[in-house]
Amino acid sequence: MTQKVVLVGSLDTKGIEFKYIKDALEKLGIETLVVDVGVLNKPAFNPDIPSSEVAQFAGTTLEILREEKDRGKAVTAMAEGAAKAVEKLLAQGIVGGIFGMGGTAGTTVGASAMKVVPIGIPKLLLSTVASGNTRPYVGVKDVTMMYSVIDIAGVNKLSRRILSNAAYAIGGMVKGISTELEQEEEKTTIGMTMFGVTTPCVTRVREILEEKGYDILVFHATGTGGLAMEELVDAGFIKAVADITTTELADELVGGIFTAGPSRLEAAGRSGVPQVVSVGALDMVNFGPPDTVPEKFKNRKFYQHNPTTTLMRTTIEENRQLGETIAKKLNQAKSPTVVIFPKGGVSLIDQASQAFDGVEEREALYKALKENLRSDIPFIESEKNINDPSVSVLISEQLLSILREEISIS
């Protein structure tokens, strides 16, 4: 089935602008499919999926939304309906790209639809709010946001140029990805997690695995990084994981800024994806500049990583809880799982003579993890720091061994 660029927007208030984008794309030879989310008035042109159908996807009707005259409720309903409409199109194999535009409401609805679209499929939001905080709209997806400069209200000398640029941008992405997929070499994709303080370890593991012919994706473990990796695991894109840097669990436990939420470290086990897990950077909780650290932590041990990043040493009790948490999560795994524990330290600054060297903290983490881990999950110890080359080799060998077994079984 021919894939199309799905246009999601309000054709009653932004119909002229969406028609401009539609015509521009079709001049490029790209087919479109229009999803109308307008509530108030008739659309400026006929969509492929009318707003009445979108409202039904959200469990309501246009009539009800109009009668209630609650803008917030209407936006929420159409955002939900648009996402479900796009999910249906994805199941049909129609979506080759997705485009949305508007102010806060149009951006919210467009972003909701994009969140159900797998990473790798082009997504573009032309928005009046793209110069501000974009995290609520982007999340962990590869959404491209373009600032509209002026309000999206008619086609004029300036907006025509901006609308054209937006159309050519999404059109170029769609055309480019189709050409790239034709030429792409099939490789098994492995996801890895990294922090600055685990970079030597992760770099060496990546080099070893790349030499063996694997395609490696490295995620910066800053909350969104871990979430993005697990999103790709759930989507079936990543086929194995070297989860070396599980530091996001510490931020979730203690209240740091780099939490990936309570479900971190569960996707691979849930999806049956082979994983080798270590305890990289669990010696630290992350905050912004020093004045952003909560008052309750004022007596803790800190390390100023850079002017905007303040690291706080995890305590013995926090490490005990982290060990128990990791064991609990891995015990649920349905996939081949191996744990590597570097007893010489879990980061560049958690080793002899360094700022966060903590023998008792590491021991608490070690004992809690080992004692609570399922007995059939291999727990492999090294006396070295996580960044010692021997630990990189150990992680690589264990993952390669699992992958060889997976191949021989299949």
Side-chain angles (χ1 to χ4, degrees):
M1 184 176 291
T2 302
Q3 291 193 325
K4 305 175 182 182
V5 172
V6 177
L7 308 180
V8 179
S10 299
L11 300 191
D12 55 353
T13 58
K14 300 286 185 285
I16 295 172
E17 297 86 349
F18 272 99
K19 186 65 165 61
Y20 190 94
I21 296 290
K22 175 180 169 67
D23 291 345
L25 287 170
E26 290 175 353
K27 284 178 183 177
L28 294 173
I30 297 171
E31 294 186 39
T32 62
L33 189 150
V34 180
V35 179
D36 182 19
V37 297
V39 173
L40 299 177
N41 301 301
K42 291 182 179 180
F45 64 95
N46 291 328
D48 298 284
I49 298 179
S51 55
S52 58
E53 191 174 331
V54 174
Q56 288 174 358
F57 276 123
T60 186
T61 66
L62 276 184
E63 291 72 22
I64 291 173
L65 293 175
R66 286 170 178 168
E67 287 173 5
E68 292 178 335
K69 296 181 180 179
D70 186 328
R71 178 177 169 82
K73 188 172 182 180
V75 170
T76 300
M78 299 311 275
E80 179 185 343
K84 289 183 178 177
V86 171
E87 282 182 331
K88 184 177 180 181
L89 296 174
L90 285 165
Q92 296 171 3
I94 292 174
V95 184
I98 182 167
F99 175 88
M101 66 176 161
T104 54
T107 303
T108 297
V109 174
S112 295
M114 292 178 188
K115 285 176 182 177
V116 304
V117 179
I119 291 172
I121 294 179
K123 309 165 188 69
L124 192 145
L125 266 174
L126 177 62
S127 172
T128 61
V129 296
S131 65
N133 176 19
T134 60
R135 184 170 183 175
Y137 308 112
V138 175
V140 298
K141 289 300 179 72
D142 53 340
V143 175
T144 300
M145 289 194 74
M146 178 177 171
Y147 184 43
S148 64
V149 183
I150 57 175
D151 204 351
I152 300 169
V155 178
N156 52 56
K157 185 176 182 180
L158 178 57
S159 69
R160 187 179 294 110
R161 181 70 271 161
I162 292 168
L163 290 168
S164 294
N165 287 343
Y168 298 148
I170 186 70
M173 285 190 275
V174 170
K175 283 195 167 186
I177 198 169
S178 61
T179 302
E180 188 177 287
L181 287 172
E182 291 174 2
Q183 302 171 347
E184 197 170 79
E185 182 183 353
E186 278 298 320
K187 290 183 177 181
T188 298
T189 302
I190 297 174
M192 298 174 61
T193 49
M194 185 172 80
F195 233 30
V197 292
T198 60
T199 295
C201 175
V202 177
T203 299
R204 183 58 187 137
V205 173
R206 176 180 58 78
E207 291 170 347
I208 292 170
L209 295 176
E210 285 178 341
E211 287 171 5
K212 296 295 183 181
Y214 292 95
D215 196 28
I216 310 302
L217 306 182
V218 179
F219 297 86
H220 198 194
T222 55
T224 52
L227 286 170
M229 183 181 76
E230 300 207 332
E231 172 89 20
L232 288 168
V233 169
D234 282 329
F237 192 86
I238 289 176
K239 303 301 183 183
V241 171
D243 210 340
I244 295 168
T245 312
T246 46
T247 185
E248 291 154 321
L249 295 172
D251 282 50
E252 170 66 13
L253 174 67
V254 183
I257 61 173
F258 288 160
T259 174
S263 298
R264 177 70 174 89
L265 196 63
E266 296 176 11
R270 178 177 61 244
S271 303
V273 170
Q275 59 182 339
V276 173
V277 178
S278 194
V279 290
L282 284 178
D283 55 327
M284 60 189 63
V285 178
N286 295 267
F287 296 102
D291 61 1
T292 68
V293 179
E295 178 68 17
K296 64 181 179 180
F297 296 129
K298 65 179 181 179
N299 294 322
R300 297 280 292 269
K301 181 186 289 187
F302 295 97
Y303 177 80
Q304 202 62 44
H305 185 61
N306 58 50
T308 60
T309 305
T310 306
L311 308 179
M312 182 176 77
R313 185 52 163 107
T314 48
T315 64
I316 294 172
E317 175 57 22
E318 288 164 356
N319 275 276
R320 184 191 64 77
Q321 292 180 57
L322 286 167
E324 292 176 352
T325 297
I326 293 171
K328 183 178 179 180
K329 288 175 178 289
L330 298 184
N331 287 347
Q332 305 303 313
K334 297 185 292 184
S335 62
T337 299
V338 174
V339 175
I340 306 291
F341 197 100
K343 299 178 77 174
V346 303
S347 81
L348 285 171
I349 59 174
D350 176 35
Q351 55 184 321
S353 77
Q354 295 300 310
F356 278 1
D357 182 28
V359 175
E360 293 180 346
E361 289 87 349
R362 290 197 299 274
E363 182 65 18
L365 178 64
Y366 168 80
K367 288 182 65 176
L369 179 51
K370 185 174 184 179
E371 291 173 2
N372 289 281
L373 193 65
R374 212 172 67 203
S375 61
D376 63 318
I377 296 177
F379 183 86
I380 302 173
E381 306 169 21
S382 169
E383 296 300 320
K384 303 291 186 177
N385 181 273
I386 195 168
N387 291 295
D388 189 274
S390 64
V391 176
S392 298
V393 171
L394 185 58
I395 292 170
S396 304
E397 288 177 344
Q398 289 300 313
L399 191 57
L400 288 169
S401 176
I402 293 173
L403 289 169
R404 282 193 294 269
E405 288 181 10
E406 289 281 301
I407 292 170
S408 63
I409 290 171
S410 60

